[in-house]
């Protein structure tokens, strides 16, 4: 499932372009095609097509796992959910079998949301806060300080893994980077948030940021979703590595379920205190 680093990778691709696909910044939308209506969370298909026509792409942002394409009047919010890919290509290319939404620009390019598993969602909305207003702090932003993190942890008594997956607590973390950050910080995923002292909070704060930044540098991880661009899966320490020796102490990595999600950790490096 795409998490913050994978969505950030798409943001940079749309902003900067790469060979054969230019940046979409400044392009004007000629019209939109909906190939799977249910991809649209809001508004209704007819209104979507009418409203988006003629708008220019004025910015490309991200909030947590949401991609925010700023247009002249509205914001197009895209959530990739389980799988999904964003493609900029020439209109003469064949239409992909799993394209769900297409934006045709006034030049020779189009933007396509390719979504094999159909769980992705798109909003065209004037005020993006109606969709993303409840998200917790952005882990790589300057205003996400260790002090703020400590305060949020202390205000709740929840298992760390559960807490970190909750987008209203901290935005952008999913199964992969939560397990990796907890391993690096040597904290058991079932530790209660209000038992984490300030030294441990600082360690976890550093590790979350390190893991996310390293993943972004490697264009994310190509694991159990359709995006094949990333390389960070080569550097994972625990995720999906049940039974493999811990890189630090050689203890076999263990898998348990927390929040109905497989959770990987080293029982020696990440002990659960009495
Ligand atoms: Zn270990």
């Amino acid at each position: 499932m795409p998490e913050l680093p994978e969505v950030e990778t798409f943001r940079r691709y749309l902003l900067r372009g790469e060979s054969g696909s230019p940046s979409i910044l400044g392009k004007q939308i000629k019209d939109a095609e909906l190939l799977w209506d249910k991809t649209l969370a809001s508004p209704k298909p007819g209104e979507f097509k009418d409203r988006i026509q003629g708008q220019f792409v004025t910015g490309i942002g991200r909030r947590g796992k949401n991609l925010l394409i700023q247009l002249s009047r509205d914001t197009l919010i895209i959530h990739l959910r389980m799988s999904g890919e964003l493609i900029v290509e020439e209109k003469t290319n064949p239409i992909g079998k799993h394209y769900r939404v297409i934006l045709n620009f006034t030049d020779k390019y189009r933007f396509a949301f390719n979504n094999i598993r159909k769980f992705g969602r798109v909003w065209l909305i004037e005020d993006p806060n109606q969709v993303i207003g409840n998200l917790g702090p952005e882990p790589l932003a300057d205003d996400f300080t260790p002090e703020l993190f400590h305060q949020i942890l202390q205000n709740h008594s929840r298992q760390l893994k559960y807490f970190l997956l909750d987008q209203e607590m901290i935005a952008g973390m999913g199964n992969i980077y939560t397990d990796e950050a907890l391993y690096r910080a040597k904290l058991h995923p079932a530790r209660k948030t209000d038992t984490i002292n300030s030294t441990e909070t600082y360690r976890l704060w550093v590790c979350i940021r390190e893991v996310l930044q390293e993943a972004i540098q490697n264009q994310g991880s190509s694991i159990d979703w359709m995006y094949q661009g990333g390389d960070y899966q080569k550097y994972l320490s625990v995720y999906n590595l049940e039974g493999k020796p811990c890189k630090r102490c050689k203890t076999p990595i263990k898998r348990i379920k927390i929040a109905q999600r497989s959770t990987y950790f080293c029982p020696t490096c990440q002990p659960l205190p009495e």
Side-chain angles (χ1 to χ4, degrees):
M1 181 175 200
E3 303 179 29
L4 188 156
E6 289 78 28
V7 179
E8 178 62 21
T9 300
F10 279 124
R11 188 187 76 81
R12 294 178 181 193
Y13 161 72
L14 295 177
L15 187 67
R16 298 172 187 169
E18 55 181 48
S19 65
S21 46
S23 164
I24 65 165
L25 196 64
K27 289 192 185 298
Q28 187 181 21
I29 297 163
K30 182 169 161 275
D31 54 40
E33 295 171 57
L34 287 170
L35 304 159
W36 176 252
D37 278 359
K38 288 182 185 161
T39 303
L40 206 55
S42 175
K44 294 271 184 269
E47 189 190 339
F48 176 83
K49 287 185 190 174
D50 284 350
R51 243 167 79 181
I52 204 163
Q53 233 171 32
Q55 296 205 46
F56 286 88
V57 177
T58 61
I60 302 154
R62 180 189 55 73
R63 186 72 175 87
K65 302 178 196 173
N66 298 273
L67 189 78
L68 274 63
I69 302 180
Q70 284 118 29
L71 304 175
S72 319
R73 294 183 299 276
D74 293 307
T75 301
L76 184 74
I77 302 179
I78 301 175
H79 197 300
L80 302 167
R81 297 268 170 84
M82 301 300 285
S83 68
E85 201 182 359
L86 304 171
I87 300 162
V88 179
E89 62 185 4
E90 293 193 21
K91 290 176 200 165
T92 48
N93 280 18
I95 304 246
K97 195 164 83 182
H98 305 291
Y99 285 8
R100 309 300 178 198
V101 179
I102 295 174
L103 304 180
N104 292 306
F105 296 115
T106 50
D107 61 11
K108 64 177 182 175
Y109 293 99
R110 70 171 165 235
F111 165 89
F113 180 21
N114 189 47
N115 192 210
I116 293 179
R117 291 165 78 181
K118 292 185 178 175
F119 294 118
R121 288 295 173 267
V122 168
W123 294 257
L124 181 71
I125 205 152
E126 209 179 330
D127 175 13
N129 279 329
Q130 289 177 12
V131 177
I132 56 166
N134 290 332
L135 291 179
E138 198 60 39
L140 295 178
D142 291 342
D143 57 8
F144 180 62
T145 59
E147 294 74 27
L148 173 66
F149 189 36
H150 191 61
Q151 196 185 337
I152 308 172
L153 286 166
Q154 296 309 311
N155 284 346
H156 299 85
S157 184
R158 296 170 71 184
Q159 292 176 318
L160 269 177
K161 167 89 181 208
Y162 211 106
F163 171 92
L164 292 172
L165 289 178
D166 185 339
Q167 301 301 297
E168 295 188 10
M169 297 295 125
I170 174 171
M173 307 280 289
N175 223 20
I176 298 176
Y177 301 107
T178 296
D179 286 4
E180 291 298 316
L182 289 172
Y183 170 78
R184 198 177 290 207
K186 300 185 179 177
L187 292 169
H188 193 286
R191 272 283 292 279
K192 287 287 181 70
T193 50
D194 53 359
T195 70
I196 308 296
N197 66 34
S198 53
T199 311
E200 291 168 326
T201 300
Y202 184 71
R203 211 163 67 215
L204 181 57
W205 179 84
V206 168
C207 293
I208 286 173
R209 289 162 69 108
E210 279 178 0
V211 163
L212 292 176
Q213 264 150 354
E214 288 168 21
I216 290 170
Q217 275 159 23
N218 287 281
Q219 285 86 45
S221 307
S222 304
I223 282 188
D224 67 21
W225 62 300
M226 304 318 295
Y227 168 65
Q228 294 300 318
D231 262 342
Y232 193 63
Q233 69 280 5
K234 292 177 195 159
Y235 307 102
L236 297 177
S237 298
V238 284
Y239 182 77
N240 226 4
L241 293 172
E242 184 182 14
K244 296 278 191 318
C246 165
K247 288 177 181 174
R248 288 187 294 236
C249 75
K250 310 284 181 241
T251 304
I253 299 301
K254 212 174 154 183
R255 179 170 70 103
I256 54 172
K257 287 254 178 186
I258 296 182
Q260 287 93 51
R261 310 288 294 275
S262 284
T263 297
Y264 301 88
F265 70 105
C266 171
T268 304
C269 295
Q270 297 164 268
L272 191 60
E274 298 280 307

